[in-house]
Amino acid sequence: MPDTLIITNDSLGLAQAADILHAGGLVAVPTETVYGLAGDARNDRAVASIFAAKGRPRFNPLIVHLADLSEIRRYATLTPLARQLAQAFWPGPLTLVLPLRPDSGLSPLVTSGLDSVAIRLPADPIARALLSAFGGPIAAPSANPSGQISPVSAQHVLDGLNGRIDAVLDGGDCAVGLESTILDATSQTPRLLRAGGLAVEAIEGALGMRVEAAQSDKITAPGQLASHYAPRGRVRLDVTTPDAGDIWVGFGPCPGAKLSLSQAGDLTQAAARLFHTLHDADTLAGAGGTIAFAPVPETGLGRAINDRLRRAAAPR
Ligand code: TXA
Ligand code: MG
């Protein structure tokens, strides 16, 4: 494939991106969480080429992105719990797993043959404009080669996938910077499948109940694999005193740190900068170096940040 086309964010560009999707092609699209690798969720060939472009080892289920709540009933059943969550948090960085409608028309590759489907209404205006221009359901995992760091800029997408996908729609940096929080909302008991860009505490506040983590069962998602988001070098966590030669990444006051997730110790800023910082640290440390992260508190978005850091540090 020739170089990946860089499409600018204007009405012509959106129409061009929608045309590529209609033709079964792949376009990387900005969302408020991370860039997604978008394809027509009804087109088996398009969905299969998403897996091929990423080099995903298995056919794990993908998230279906929609422009509007009214479209959901064509693909899934909106349970009472899901309705409540949708009202509180959509559009936004929350994905709900819902009962799949048997006549959804979605490619079975999108759902890995499960009888449930993950759905998200993104808040990012460019993602929403493309969804409207396309007029259908878009399947999109994060737009990075399998196992590598998620992209939060168009350049990150090109670094990983140039020549492997048709185009990237350049929408600048992602505002949230972490993948969506995923909840199983198939029953009235919400279960957390992945911590992400919406803090669990916010969900618990809206529902007035505790949200338990799901028991890991049949679904082994790439984001659930122990080693993921991996830079080339070694990663160490909870480092308050770095070794000489470490690329030390601070959180809060860390005198001498080369990089920082947030000098002010702000978790929202740290989330938005996490994947940028991992990319930058990877460049500085190289394959033989060590990236050492200062401790990040395990509350709010800190839970999702620590989840991604633990996977980046896991043995490969
Ligand atoms: O923020 C995000 O969620 C980004 C943007 C592009 O929307 N997407 C993303 O996709 O992170 P991906 O493929 O990296 O993660 C999708 C996750 C997988 O871990 C998968 O297991 C889970 O969604 N998933 C999808 N369908 C599911 C289902 N029916 N049941 C349980 N989990 C499901
Ligand atoms: Mg991913």
Side-chain angles (χ1 to χ4, degrees), residues 7-17:
I7 299 180
T8 49
N9 165 36
D10 53 28
S11 52
L12 225 66
L14 286 169
Q16 192 181 12

Side-chain angles (χ1 to χ4, degrees), residues 33 36 56 61 63 65 114 116 118 120 141 179-180 182 194 219 221:
T33 57
R56 235 189 215 203
I63 296 171
H65 299 72
L114 297 168
S116 60
R120 179 159 102 83
E179 296 88 346
S180 60
I182 305 181
R194 177 176 76 185
I219 298 155

Side-chain angles (χ1 to χ4, degrees), residues 52-68:
K54 282 180 65 84
R56 235 189 215 203
R58 279 190 298 265
F59 287 150
N60 295 298
L62 303 177
I63 296 171
V64 173
H65 299 72
L66 299 175
D68 196 86

Side-chain angles (χ1 to χ4, degrees), residues 149 228-250 257-261 273-295 308-310 312-314 316:
I149 303 164
H228 201 74
Y229 310 102
R232 292 164 298 165
R234 217 160 66 88
V235 177
R236 296 197 300 131
L237 305 183
D238 294 324
V239 176
T240 47
T241 318
D243 294 340
D246 281 358
I247 302 298
W248 192 31
V249 182
K258 277 250 170 31
L259 299 168
S260 178
L261 288 173
R273 284 169 48 163
L274 176 65
F275 291 132
H276 281 290
T277 308
L278 268 167
H279 280 274
D280 292 348
D282 188 23
T283 304
L284 287 173
T290 298
I291 305 167
F293 280 88
R308 305 304 187 270
L309 288 178
R310 281 191 289 270
R316 306 163 200 158

Side-chain angles (χ1 to χ4, degrees), residues 16-49:
Q16 192 181 12
D19 284 347
I20 294 172
L21 293 176
H22 278 299
L26 302 186
V27 184
V29 180
T31 81
E32 73 275 27
T33 57
V34 300
Y35 274 69
L37 182 53
D40 184 343
R42 300 159 298 193
N43 181 329
D44 289 319
R45 196 172 50 82
V47 178
S49 59

